[in-house]
Amino acid sequence: MKRFYFIFCIIALLPLIMGCRNDIKEVQKYVVTDSVPTQSAEGVTLLYSEYGDVVFELISPKVIMEKGKKPKTLFPEGIRVLFYDSTNRNVRSELTANYAVKYDRSRKMIAKGDVVINNYEKGERLNTEELIWEQKTKMIFTDKFVTITTKDQVIYGEDGMESDESFDNWVIKKPTGTLRFKEKEENSNAK
């Protein structure tokens, strides 16, 4: 009797199972493809490390992560990035901006609005309105107007600048301002 009941159930359900089909074009009519799933968080602090050493710390009041074909992370309320030395975790330099967007696949970040970089070891400061940071190459650059303030001079760059991400070695494009050069000391024993 149990066997008869089992066979009856299979025969009764067989038309239902065989009748189900999913035409991909019909299903796509009901799928929303232009919506991008997002996640957001507030009061975010992220640490990035390489080989166990913290390289930089990213701090932002609000983060929005958008997934989809071009995943990106938005920092609509500003960003602060602290770059550390590799030995004592001392802050070597700091980047701040009013807004930033990071493109996840290319690992490129664009910071906008009152962008400031301070190199605390060298006592130098960069001011600009837009800066691009490529994490793959560990370089920062801009083609916007920049002001770099050192311990003894202020230099302007009409066509931007480029530097390593710690703002240690920078080059200004089309510099202007009062530039000071150190003269070589002559050897006093020379005849």
Side-chain angles (χ1 to χ4, degrees), residues 9 11 14 16 25 30 32 35-36 39 50 57 74 81 120 123 138 149 151 153 159-160 171 178 182 184 186 190:
C9 287
I11 291 173
L14 193 58
L16 291 174
K25 291 182 182 181
Y30 301 101
V32 179
S35 67
V36 178
Q39 297 176 342
E50 291 179 352
E57 178 179 6
L74 303 168
V81 183
Y120 297 118
K138 297 185 177 189
T149 306
K151 291 178 181 178
Q153 60 189 341
D159 291 338
V171 175
T178 304
K182 292 182 181 180
K184 285 186 176 181
E186 293 187 37

Side-chain angles (χ1 to χ4, degrees), residues 26-79:
E26 188 67 27
V27 171
Q28 286 177 342
K29 289 180 187 177
Y30 301 101
V31 175
V32 179
T33 57
D34 62 347
S35 67
V36 178
T38 62
Q39 297 176 342
S40 64
E42 294 185 2
V44 175
T45 300
L46 301 170
L47 297 175
Y48 179 80
S49 63
E50 291 179 352
Y51 307 108
D53 294 324
V54 175
V55 177
F56 66 84
E57 178 179 6
L58 184 144
I59 303 161
S60 182
K62 186 172 185 177
V63 177
I64 300 171
M65 295 163 279
E66 293 183 356
K67 301 301 175 196
K69 292 181 180 178
K70 295 181 181 178
K72 60 185 172 184
T73 305
L74 303 168
F75 305 90
E77 296 178 11
I79 191 169

Side-chain angles (χ1 to χ4, degrees), residues 110-129:
I110 301 173
K112 294 183 178 185
D114 195 24
V115 181
V116 178
I117 297 180
N118 283 299
N119 181 321
Y120 297 118
E121 290 181 332
K122 295 175 94 177
E124 297 175 342
R125 177 184 177 110
L126 164 76
N127 294 81
T128 188
E129 282 303 309

